[in-house]
Amino acid sequence: MNKILITYASVSVSAALLTSILLLLRPLYRHLFSKCWQYYIWLIVVARFLIPWNPGNGIVGNLFHQAQEALADAGQRKDAAQSSLMQEQQSVDQQPLTQEQALQNTAILSQQTNQNGITENNDSRRNHTVVVQAVWLLTALVLIVRKITVYQSFVKYLKAASSPVENMNCLEAFGKIIEQNHVKRMVGLYTNCLTASPLLVGLIHPAVVLTQAELSDTEFYYTVLHELTHYRRRDLFYKWLVQITVCLHWFNPFAYLMAREVNRMCELSCDEAVTKHMGAECRRAYGDTLLHAAGTGGFYKNSLVSITLGGGKQLLKERLGELMKVKKRSKRVTAAALAAAVLLTGTAVAAGGYVQPSAARKQKKEIRLSDCRIIEKNGVFYIMCEGAVKSDMPAGGVTKGYVGITLVKPDKYTTIGPFEHVDRLVRDVKQQVTQMRKKNKLTAEEASLFTQAAEKIQDDASQETYDFTSITKKKDAYYYRGARIRIFMDQRMDESFVKFNYDEKGEIDICLRHEEDFSAAAVSYLTKEEAEEILKDLEIKTDKKTIQDKERSFTIEESDAGQMKDANQEIYVRRLTKEELSGQVKKEVARCKDKTWYLIKTKDCTYIYYSDLPNDYAFQPEFYTYNNKAKIEIVDMKGSGRCVLLAVYGNVPVTVTYQNQKAACQEILLK
C-alpha cells in the first residue's frame, strides 16, 4: 500500500509539471492554435494524473527513488548511532564479553526484532505511512461521493421543476437540428423556471433544459445547437473525468488549475465548433444569443458537471471577443499543433512516475547469488534481490563481533542470525535455514541464497584475515613474515581452492592449507618443482627448444621433440580477455550462448570459450607430440563465476575436458 501512495504522489508531481508548462506557454499558443486543440490537449495532463503506469521511472520517478534511499540512509544512520551508543555503554569496563553476556545480547536483539525481521522503528514508520494513505484515500472518497450526491440532487430538483416542451414548432426545429448533427440517441427538451441559463444534463438520459424566457427562432436554434454540440463531443464525460482527477489529487493545487482551464476551454472550443462555418452576420447573431442567455434565467445555477450556454462575466467577455476573431489556420500551424501534442506526450512519459522495482519480477526464474548484491552495514549482510534498493532495507544492526544476514526483496525481507563465529558461519546458517524450512518459513530458493551468501561471507573473511598465520595483505600484494609472496595458494585440506594469487614482483611461494572452520591451518613453502608446475596453468609454450617469451617459458624434452611430425611447430596456450580478441572472433564470441562449450577455429589458433562458469577455473594442457594433439583439462576453483577464454596457438586438434568429463564442444570455423 505504501507504494501505491508513492506512485500516485509521483504522477501528481509529473502532471503538475505538465500543467505548469501549458500555463507558462499559453501566451505563445493562445492565438496560434485552435480552441479545440487547447481544450483536448489537457487530456494528456488528465491521463498523467490518472495513469500510474510508465515504461520507466523517468525524471520524477528517479527523484522519488533517490529521496527514498536518502530517507532510508538517514534512518539507518540514526539506528546505527543508537546501536553504537549501546555498544559503548556495554564496553565501559573494557572487558571482553563472556559467553553468557553474548547470549544476553542475542536475546535482546531477538526481542527488538519480530518474526519477519521488522524493527520497532520500521513499525512506527509503516504505521505513519498507513495513516497518511488512509487520509488521502478517505478524503478522495468523501469528495467523489459528495460530487455525485450534489449532481444527483441538482438533477432531481431540476426535473421536479421542469416540464417538457410541447410547442410543435420548437419540437420540429429541435428534431431537424438533431438530424443535421447526426445525433442518434434520444435527447429530451425541457423548460425550467429556476435554471439560470440553458444547459445540458444527463449522462445516460441526456436532456436540454431551457429557461422559460421567450426565444426567437434564431436564438432557439443557436441555443439548442450549442448544447447538442456539447453532447456530440461527450463533454459531460470529459468533465466527470476531470472531477474524478481533482478528487484523487485533492492535495495538488495544480489539479484545480487544470480543472479551471478545462471548464474555460470547454465553452470556447464549443463556440469555435458551432461558428466554424458561419459568416460575420451569423456570428453576431450567435453572440447576441449568448448575451440574451446571460440575464434571462432564474437563480438555480449549474453544478460542476452540467454544461450551460452562459457563464461568468469574464468568460462571456472572452467568448464574445473570440467570436469576432476569424482566422484560417495554415497547414504549418496544424503541423506545429500536432508536433506540440506529441512533444507534450513525450514530456509526460519522460517526467514519468515511480515504477516499482518489482515490475520486471513477474517472470518466475531461479535467482542466484550472482544476480544479487550484498551490502554490509552494522554487521548485517543484506542480500539485495529482484531489484531491491536501499529504501527496502530494514534498519538494524547486531552486537559487535556478531553477523546477521537479511534477504531483501522489494515487497518483503527475512532476517536470520545473529551468528557469533564467522569461521563456522556456513554450518550455523545451514542449521538455522533447515529448521526454518521445516516450519515453512523459507522457500528452497531463499534457503539456497542464505547458504550461498554464508559461503561467500566466510570465504571473504578467510581470504582477508590471515593475521594468525603471519600472512598480511597490503593493497593487492600478500606478505609472509615481511617477504612479498609470488605464488599464494589458499587451500582447504581437501585441496579445493579458496584463493589463488600470482604476483610477479614476489620473492617466495606459499601454500596455506586449513580446515573448513579454520580449526587447523598450516603454512608451507612451495618447492621449485611445485611452483613451475603451477605456473603452467597460467601460460605454457612448447617447442623443440626453449622459446623465450616476455611472460613465461617452457622446455620440451629432447625425446618428445624427436616425435613431433613438424619440428618447427610451435604450440602454446594462454588465457585471454574479450578485449584482446580480434574483431571477427569477438563478434563470434558475442553470438555464443551461455553454458555451451565452443571451439572457434582460425588458421593458426583455436579458441576455447564457455560463458557463465559457476566458479573461477584452472587449466592443465597436455600435448601429445607424437600425433600433434592437445588436451586441455579445465577444473573449477573457488571464486566468482566467469567465462573460460583460452587460446591454443598452433594448428592442432583440441580436446576439452571439464571436471574430468569430456566436454561436448560446438566447432565454429572462421576463414
Side-chain angles (χ1 to χ4, degrees):
M1 295 296 287
N2 176 32
K3 299 188 184 303
I4 296 176
L5 178 62
I6 296 173
T7 299
Y8 266 94
S10 66
V11 296
S12 192
V13 172
S14 294
L17 177 62
L18 297 181
T19 303
S20 302
I21 292 173
L22 284 177
L23 293 177
L24 289 173
L25 296 180
R26 186 171 62 182
L28 298 179
Y29 63 75
R30 181 178 179 181
H31 300 297
L32 182 63
F33 297 156
S34 69
K35 296 298 182 291
C36 181
W37 183 93
Q38 297 180 50
Y39 177 49
Y40 287 111
I41 196 67
W42 288 99
L43 279 174
I44 298 174
V45 181
V46 172
R48 182 71 282 177
F49 267 117
L50 293 179
I51 302 176
W53 180 85
N54 207 66
N57 275 302
I59 300 171
V60 174
N62 287 329
L63 290 176
F64 269 73
H65 269 293
Q66 293 173 8
Q68 269 196 304
E69 292 189 359
L71 290 174
D73 287 341
Q76 289 171 358
R77 285 195 296 269
K78 180 180 178 180
D79 295 334
Q82 293 175 350
S83 176
S84 176
L85 181 62
M86 185 177 69
Q87 291 174 12
E88 289 178 2
Q89 292 174 350
Q90 291 175 344
S91 58
V92 169
D93 55 359
Q94 297 183 353
Q95 294 295 326
L97 291 175
T98 65
Q99 184 177 3
E100 182 179 355
Q101 290 172 325
L103 291 174
Q104 290 175 354
N105 288 341
T106 303
I108 292 172
L109 180 66
S110 300
Q111 291 172 3
Q112 292 175 343
T113 307
N114 63 18
Q115 293 180 352
N116 294 322
I118 304 173
T119 62
E120 293 178 359
N121 288 337
N122 284 344
D123 287 338
S124 176
R125 294 167 191 162
R126 182 171 298 162
N127 291 336
H128 180 267
T129 302
V130 170
V131 170
V132 172
Q133 185 168 258
V135 170
W136 164 56
L137 290 175
L138 185 60
T139 304
L141 181 62
V142 169
L143 289 174
I144 291 175
V145 171
R146 179 181 177 276
K147 289 183 184 293
I148 293 174
T149 304
V150 169
Y151 179 72
Q152 288 178 335
S153 299
F154 173 76
V155 174
K156 178 181 178 182
Y157 287 111
L158 195 66
K159 286 183 177 180
S162 298
S163 58
V165 174
E166 297 178 352
N167 187 305
M168 293 305 298
N169 292 331
C170 290
L171 291 175
E172 286 181 6
F174 186 62
K176 288 180 181 179
I177 298 172
I178 287 178
E179 185 178 355
Q180 290 172 358
N181 287 271
H182 306 289
V183 177
K184 297 180 180 180
R185 196 166 185 178
M186 182 64 69
V187 180
L189 182 63
Y190 299 88
T191 59
N192 190 296
C193 62
L194 299 178
T195 182
S197 64
L199 52 84
L200 174 71
V201 294
L203 285 171
I204 300 176
H205 303 291
V208 175
V209 182
L210 305 176
T211 64
Q212 287 190 338
E214 291 293 331
L215 298 175
S216 66
D217 291 343
T218 301
E219 289 174 338
F220 177 82
Y221 174 79
Y222 287 136
T223 299
V224 172
L225 180 60
H226 180 93
E227 300 304 336
L228 288 178
T229 301
H230 278 305
Y231 173 74
R232 252 187 328 106
R233 301 193 315 169
R234 302 292 188 268
D235 287 337
L236 280 173
F237 289 96
Y238 193 170
K239 280 200 168 188
W240 268 113
L241 193 65
V242 169
Q243 291 306 312
I244 292 173
T245 302
V246 171
C247 292
L248 285 175
H249 296 269
W250 55 267
F251 54 87
N252 190 340
F254 287 91
Y256 300 93
L257 292 175
M258 178 269 298
R260 187 188 68 181
E261 284 301 304
V262 169
N263 288 332
R264 188 176 71 87
M265 293 312 304
C266 179
E267 296 303 327
L268 289 171
S269 63
C270 186
D271 292 341
E272 181 185 66
V274 171
T275 62
K276 186 176 183 180
H277 301 292
M278 290 183 181
E281 289 298 325
C282 293
R283 287 173 179 269
R284 189 174 291 107
Y286 180 76
D288 291 339
T289 302
L290 295 181
L291 284 172
H292 183 260
T296 58
F299 59 87
Y300 205 163
K301 296 184 180 181
N302 63 299
S303 72
L304 291 171
V305 286
S306 62
I307 300 179
T308 67
L309 181 65
K313 292 182 179 179
Q314 188 65 32
L315 178 58
L316 181 60
K317 181 179 178 180
E318 184 179 3
R319 292 170 68 183
L320 292 173
E322 292 296 335
L323 286 176
M324 298 299 105
K325 296 176 182 178
V326 181
K327 185 177 181 181
K328 188 176 180 179
R329 290 170 176 82
S330 64
K331 292 183 178 180
R332 289 185 177 180
V333 173
T334 303
L338 179 61
V342 172
L343 183 61
L344 187 68
T345 304
T347 304
V349 175
Y354 180 85
V355 176
Q356 309 302 330
S358 59
R361 294 186 283 113
K362 301 302 181 183
Q363 300 177 354
K364 285 193 174 182
K365 62 177 184 179
E366 182 183 356
I367 302 175
R368 297 172 298 179
L369 190 65
S370 57
D371 299 324
C372 308
R373 291 185 302 147
I374 296 182
I375 301 174
E376 190 275 331
K377 279 191 175 183
N378 304 323
V380 178
F381 291 84
Y382 298 92
I383 310 171
M384 313 297 288
C385 296
E386 299 179 351
V389 295
K390 289 184 179 179
S391 58
D392 297 312
M393 293 166 51
V398 295
T399 303
K400 187 175 181 180
Y402 285 72
V403 171
I405 306 177
T406 300
L407 179 63
V408 183
K409 297 180 180 180
D411 53 353
K412 69 173 185 177
Y413 53 85
T414 307
T415 298
I416 63 173
F419 304 101
E420 182 179 5
H421 301 288
V422 178
D423 55 352
R424 295 198 297 269
L425 184 62
V426 174
R427 184 198 66 182
D428 296 342
V429 167
K430 285 182 178 179
Q431 290 177 352
Q432 185 165 345
V433 298
T434 299
Q435 293 299 321
M436 295 177 73
R437 284 281 291 137
K438 290 179 180 179
K439 297 178 181 179
N440 294 322
K441 292 184 177 181
L442 284 181
T443 64
E445 182 181 66
E446 291 170 341
S448 175
L449 286 174
F450 275 122
T451 303
Q452 292 177 55
E455 291 174 351
K456 179 174 175 54
I457 295 167
Q458 183 172 316
D459 287 345
D460 289 346
S462 65
Q463 289 173 19
E464 305 302 331
T465 55
Y466 297 106
D467 293 343
F468 65 96
T469 61
S470 300
I471 297 175
T472 57
K473 183 180 180 182
K474 297 178 182 178
K475 294 184 178 181
D476 294 328
Y478 290 88
Y479 295 84
Y480 180 63
R481 295 178 178 176
R484 188 163 180 165
I485 302 174
R486 183 180 64 155
I487 297 176
F488 176 48
M489 296 174 58
D490 184 356
Q491 289 182 299
R492 299 182 181 88
M493 292 300 183
D494 61 3
E495 297 187 354
S496 60
F497 272 90
V498 176
K499 188 176 186 64
F500 178 86
N501 186 73
Y502 176 76
D503 182 359
E504 62 181 8
K505 297 180 181 179
E507 306 166 3
I508 59 175
D509 303 318
I510 293 293
C511 178
L512 170 64
R513 291 184 175 87
H514 57 83
E515 293 289 354
E516 182 76 25
D517 59 358
F518 278 82
S519 58
V523 177
S524 61
Y525 289 94
L526 296 175
T527 65
K528 183 178 180 180
E529 291 75 15
E530 289 174 331
E532 289 179 353
E533 186 68 23
I534 292 169
L535 292 179
K536 293 178 184 179
D537 280 349
L538 301 178
E539 181 174 344
I540 303 170
K541 288 191 174 185
T542 67
D543 204 334
K544 65 177 183 178
K545 60 181 180 179
T546 301
I547 304 170
Q548 297 299 327
D549 179 72
K550 63 180 180 180
E551 296 183 13
R552 305 282 179 276
S553 64
F554 182 72
T555 303
I556 295 294
E557 297 293 337
E558 291 296 330
S559 58
D560 288 337
Q563 298 177 15
M564 293 181 67
K565 290 185 178 181
D566 185 358
N568 295 319
Q569 174 80 340
E570 180 181 343
I571 308 171
Y572 63 98
V573 182
R574 64 186 294 257
R575 290 176 185 254
L576 293 176
T577 63
K578 291 182 180 180
E579 289 71 21
E580 296 178 83
L581 296 174
S582 63
Q584 186 181 13
V585 179
K586 186 180 293 186
K587 290 180 181 178
E588 196 62 44
V589 165
R591 288 194 288 265
C592 291
K593 299 179 181 178
D594 290 345
K595 301 185 183 300
T596 303
W597 289 94
Y598 290 92
L599 293 178
I600 304 173
K601 297 184 177 181
T602 63
K603 182 179 179 181
D604 300 316
C605 180
T606 298
Y607 296 92
I608 302 172
Y609 179 72
Y610 182 93
S611 180
D612 204 17
L613 199 70
N615 298 299
D616 201 349
Y617 69 97
F619 69 93
Q620 173 65 51
E622 293 184 17
F623 299 112
Y624 303 99
T625 54
Y626 58 87
N627 58 2
N628 277 14
K629 288 185 178 181
K631 177 182 177 183
I632 312 298
E633 296 180 357
I634 297 173
V635 295
D636 271 353
M637 298 173 65
K638 283 290 183 180
S640 58
R642 58 173 298 165
C643 70
V644 176
L645 185 53
L646 300 172
V648 183
Y649 296 94
N651 189 11
V652 296
V654 176
T655 301
V656 178
T657 66
Y658 174 60
Q659 302 290 66
N660 297 320
Q661 298 291 328
K662 185 176 180 181
C665 300
Q666 293 189 20
E667 295 189 1
I668 300 174
L669 181 62
L670 300 180
K671 297 181 180 179

